[in-house]
Structures are given as C-alpha cells and as structure tokens.
Amino acid sequence: MSAGAREPHFVRSFERGLAVIRAFDAERPSLTLSEVARSCDLTRAAARRFLLTLVDLGYVHTDGRLFRLTPRVLELGYAYLAGFTLPELAEPHLEHLVAQVRESSSLCVLDGDDIVYVARVPTRRIMTATITVGTRFPAHVTSVGRVILAQLPDEEIETRLAGIDLRPLTARTLVSPEPLRAELRRVRRQGYAIVDQELEEGLRSVAVPVRDRDGEVVAAVNIPVAAGRNSVESVRRDLLPHLLATVARIEADLREATAATGRAPAAAPGIGTHR
C-alpha cells in the first residue's frame, strides 16, 4: 500500500520508528546516524529524534557516534513468542512444504513407546486410518519414531527394544530386535529414516528429526506417500531435500524463539517429549 493510500488511522511516525529498529541486523549491529537516516529514507534530524527517543526508552545504546540495539528490544516480541508451542511454530513451514511436494506432512513427538501427531497438514488420504492431531502409532514402525529413537543413548534404546511389542503389522514389519537395532544405527548415521510399508501396506514414509538449539532431538517431521506412486529412491531423491530444508527452517525459528524467551516452545499442551 502506498503512502498516499494509507488508512486514516495509520500513524506514519510509528512506522518510521519501527523502520529505525529494523535498520539494525546481524550484518549491521552498529550504525551511525547518517547510516540510519539513509537506510530508512529519513532526514538526519528525524533519524536523530527517533534514535534518541529509543535511547531514552532503553531500546538503543549509543557511544555518541555509533548506535546499537540493546537486549531490551527482545521485550517487543517476547509475549508473542512465549505463547508459541512447537506445533504452532512448525505449521507454516509444513504448509509451505505440502504446497511444494503436494503430499501431506506432520510433526510428531515421542511419548512413551508411541509417536503422537501434534501438527498435521494433509493433502490427500493415503492411509486407511484417519490421522488427526493426537493420533498415536508405535514408534518403532514409523519413520518419525525411528529418527527420534535412533538419537537416544544406546542403553535407552536397548531398554526400549526389550519392552516393546514387536508384533507384525504388515508382512514387512521388522519383528526381531537385531534387525531393528541395525536399522536404528543406520538411521542415526544418515540422519533420516525411510519406512517402507511396515506400518501399513502401500504406505512409505520419510522423516527427519527436529533438534533444539542444544542439538537434542525434540520432534520429527515426515512425508508419507503411496508406495504405488513413489519408489524408495524417488522418496529419497525428490522429497528428502525439501524435507531437510523445511526442518532447517523450523529449527532456525525454534532457536530464535528459545533465545528470545529463555525456554523452548512446548511440544503441545499435555504432551511432553522423550526427554
């Protein structure tokens, strides 16, 4: 919207003040008065008034020549970020991924021996079971479950393998500990999991773990596809790169939210992670 088309309520000076704050970034953490004026298309006098007001409010510090933001600017976004859960943070990225690959995608966390769907963006139904937020499946037969399980300490993996029910869900389900143990080691090395028709005949799924700023796996994102239309190789070649890029964006937002609020967004109300 052009300046001439602004609504009557629009406060032009407020817009300019926000522009002054946005002039600072990682590449330009310190700016002179002239640089701020040029960046924001302001006169030096106007830029000076905005900067000194921000100094008075504690959002900007100056040594007399250079200006830089103070940590107090984090207050401006704290209330917004503090209310975010991990699913809310991830959902816009899942929507973008689904628009790219034209397949469904979900964010899941580990809860006990199950994975729980905490966010989902569907595109078409390919499973006989209806998947909604809150749906659970045994972790060891899902791609999201395996990428989370694979990152656990070896001792915990052994304890879990000793306690889970390895009954076959399809003819392809891994039903003995040693093949499953070997698969988890492979998933750990490669950083992703592809599960081929072990949960349901005709369903393939690829998943990538989501890590917090400490490098701990807190969730996983998957793309399930119909086996008749997608080979394992095409899943790896055509879908995995998009999935990796999406998870990288989720992790970047997760780090930013954690840095701003001092805590990681919750997995979902009433649902913890394996940690």
Side-chain angles (χ1 to χ4, degrees):
M1 181 181 291
S2 66
R6 298 294 190 190
E7 295 291 341
H9 62 258
F10 193 84
V11 181
R12 180 70 170 171
S13 60
F14 185 62
E15 178 193 32
R16 289 170 174 166
L18 292 175
V20 168
I21 293 175
R22 291 197 300 269
F24 298 88
D25 56 29
E27 295 181 354
R28 302 181 302 170
S30 298
L31 295 170
T32 65
L33 172 59
S34 296
E35 288 171 334
V36 171
R38 186 164 52 251
S39 175
C40 300
D41 195 23
L42 297 170
T43 65
R44 281 175 53 87
R48 182 175 183 275
R49 288 197 301 272
F50 284 118
L51 285 167
L52 292 182
T53 299
L54 290 168
V55 169
D56 290 344
L57 293 172
Y59 294 120
V60 169
H61 171 77
T62 182
D63 61 6
R65 189 182 76 86
L66 291 174
F67 295 84
R68 68 164 52 235
L69 298 181
T70 72
R72 190 170 186 177
V73 297
L74 296 175
E75 294 177 354
L76 300 176
Y78 179 85
Y80 176 70
L81 291 171
F84 256 92
T85 63
L86 179 55
E88 290 170 329
L89 184 150
E91 191 160 348
H93 299 291
L94 299 184
E95 290 173 350
H96 179 69
L97 174 64
V98 169
Q100 283 184 311
V101 302
R102 301 183 184 278
E103 299 286 356
S104 302
S105 182
S106 302
L107 176 79
C108 302
V109 298
L110 184 65
D111 189 37
D113 292 330
D114 296 334
I115 55 97
V116 182
Y117 284 70
V118 295
R120 177 167 170 77
V121 178
T123 184
R124 61 173 64 89
R125 183 175 174 180
I126 58 174
M127 293 186 67
T128 56
T130 300
I131 305 297
T132 60
V133 170
T135 296
R136 291 173 174 265
F137 290 115
H140 68 283
V141 293
T142 66
S143 58
V144 281
R146 285 186 184 172
V147 290
I148 299 175
L149 291 172
Q151 304 304 318
L152 297 177
D154 290 339
E155 298 79 6
E156 185 172 349
I157 290 176
E158 291 303 317
T159 299
R160 286 175 176 271
L161 289 180
I164 60 177
D165 183 358
L166 293 176
R167 76 179 68 180
L169 299 180
T170 74
R172 297 170 181 261
T173 306
L174 297 181
V175 293
S176 58
E178 187 50 44
L180 185 54
R181 188 181 295 115
E183 179 61 16
L184 292 178
R185 286 196 295 265
R186 184 161 72 96
V187 168
R188 180 187 292 177
R189 288 194 304 270
Q190 66 190 17
Y192 65 90
I194 295 178
V195 170
D196 185 13
Q197 304 180 78
E198 293 188 51
L199 175 64
E200 181 175 313
E201 292 286 353
L203 177 71
R204 291 191 172 113
S205 180
V206 58
V208 171
V210 176
R211 299 178 184 272
D212 63 16
R213 71 173 178 177
D214 297 321
E216 297 289 336
V217 174
V218 295
V221 177
N222 76 344
I223 302 175
V225 298
R229 293 185 292 103
N230 302 268
S231 67
V232 171
E233 181 52 38
S234 71
V235 168
R236 185 180 293 111
R237 181 189 65 241
D238 300 331
L239 300 181
L240 180 59
H242 291 289
L243 184 56
L244 288 168
T246 297
V247 168
R249 289 190 288 269
I250 293 172
E251 290 175 339
D253 280 0
L254 181 57
R255 287 193 298 271
E256 182 177 341
T258 303
T261 64
R263 62 176 180 81
I271 298 177
T273 67
H274 64 275
R275 293 164 53 194

